[in-house]
Amino acid sequence: MTNRSEFTDVLQSRDPCASNGIVINIDPIDPEPTPIQKEFICENTYQHYEHHGNSEGFKTLTAFLCLMLSAFLNFFLLTVIHDVVPREPLPDLTFMIIPQQRWAWSVGDVLSTVSSIVAFTIIFLHHQRWIVLRRTFILGAIMYGLRAVILGVTFLPPSFHNRDEICQPQVNRTAMYGMEIATRFLTYVITLGLTSGQDKILCGDLMFSGHTVVLTIMYFVQLQYTPRGLVILRYIAAPITFLGIGALVVSGGHYTMDVLIAYWLTSHVFWSYHQIFEMKKEDRPQAPLSRLWWFWLCYWFESDVSDGKLINKWSWPLEGPQKMHSIMNRINLKLQ
């Protein structure tokens, strides 16, 4: 006989308001809703979705703009810091043990790209994709905003031992300096900060590692929002993440402390965010985590999200073809 939990899983995987949906009564005491009751429930459900649809899109766009602002601020600071930082590298235990391998930087870029593709695929297949996407943007904005502050106050020398072969030459502040800054900035905006294909790069954006922030957020997104039936994916994501982080250090592109601090900060912000915004709304302002500096910045973004952890179900993000919706329904039944 099918048990209660299996009925619950099936109930959560179906939309009773859909034209081909079903209603399962798991409590024999309660009668099945009448057609009039079903119509009332469905009408109110769709009105709720319609009411929050525009708000969710606007909030997601705002979160994306916040991320872009933080990222562009990082790019701009790098274009200026490059001509300010000292040139003699600091001692690092990893560099004393393992000779720097420049090819490893490309490995880090590739692995961060692969991890991002997997994570965003999970996001767009998630049935609450706008909420997950917005959270990803906000977390990235918080981390890159914090990184911009640190970059602007403390200047670390490049970690490359052969820095003259890798880093662009520093220039004096002349009448053409503004044009040089603009050229550098546009280059980094167009390439999104990926420098593996450039002969010489700007140096100085070290504390803390932006690549590690991306790798860590993408890894945690896969942990948090993957259906439990895809647990194998989590074991694949872990080596991709940590091999990518290790490659950044082995390449000489970052000091060991850059990636360790980046991972530590990102993990604390990511899990603190989810812990507090999975609480009941009325409990959030009184929670100890509400004293964090970014809490009230994010409170508005989560105001319309239901209490508790999101259910990790997949749905086809487009209206058609209808066959894909049927495939997703079957996949959900297997993955839950």
Side-chain angles (χ1 to χ4, degrees), residues 13-23 38 42 45-46 322 329:
S13 66
R14 300 280 189 172
D15 180 8
C17 298
S19 58
N20 59 347
I22 61 174
V23 176
K38 281 184 63 180
C42 294
T45 300
Y46 289 130
Q322 187 62 35
N329 287 336

Side-chain angles (χ1 to χ4, degrees), residues 182-198:
T183 302
R184 293 174 178 177
F185 177 74
L186 288 176
T187 300
Y188 269 73
V189 168
I190 293 172
T191 61
L192 296 178
L194 298 177
T195 59
S196 55
Q198 301 180 24

Side-chain angles (χ1 to χ4, degrees), residues 99-163:
Q100 294 182 359
Q101 307 292 328
R102 188 177 181 184
W103 56 266
W105 186 261
S106 297
V107 174
D109 272 351
V110 170
L111 291 179
S112 63
T113 302
V114 169
S115 184
S116 298
I117 291 173
V118 173
F120 277 103
T121 300
I122 291 172
I123 291 172
F124 285 111
L125 289 178
H126 200 282
H127 80 118
Q128 296 280 15
R129 60 187 61 87
W130 291 114
I131 296 175
V132 181
L133 183 63
R134 183 173 66 243
R135 288 178 174 178
T136 304
F137 288 158
I138 281 296
L139 289 164
I142 291 172
M143 293 307 303
Y144 271 90
L146 181 59
R147 184 175 185 263
V149 173
I150 296 176
L151 285 177
V153 297
T154 301
F155 311 130
L156 297 180
S159 50
F160 296 112
H161 287 167
N162 54 341
R163 58 195 177 281

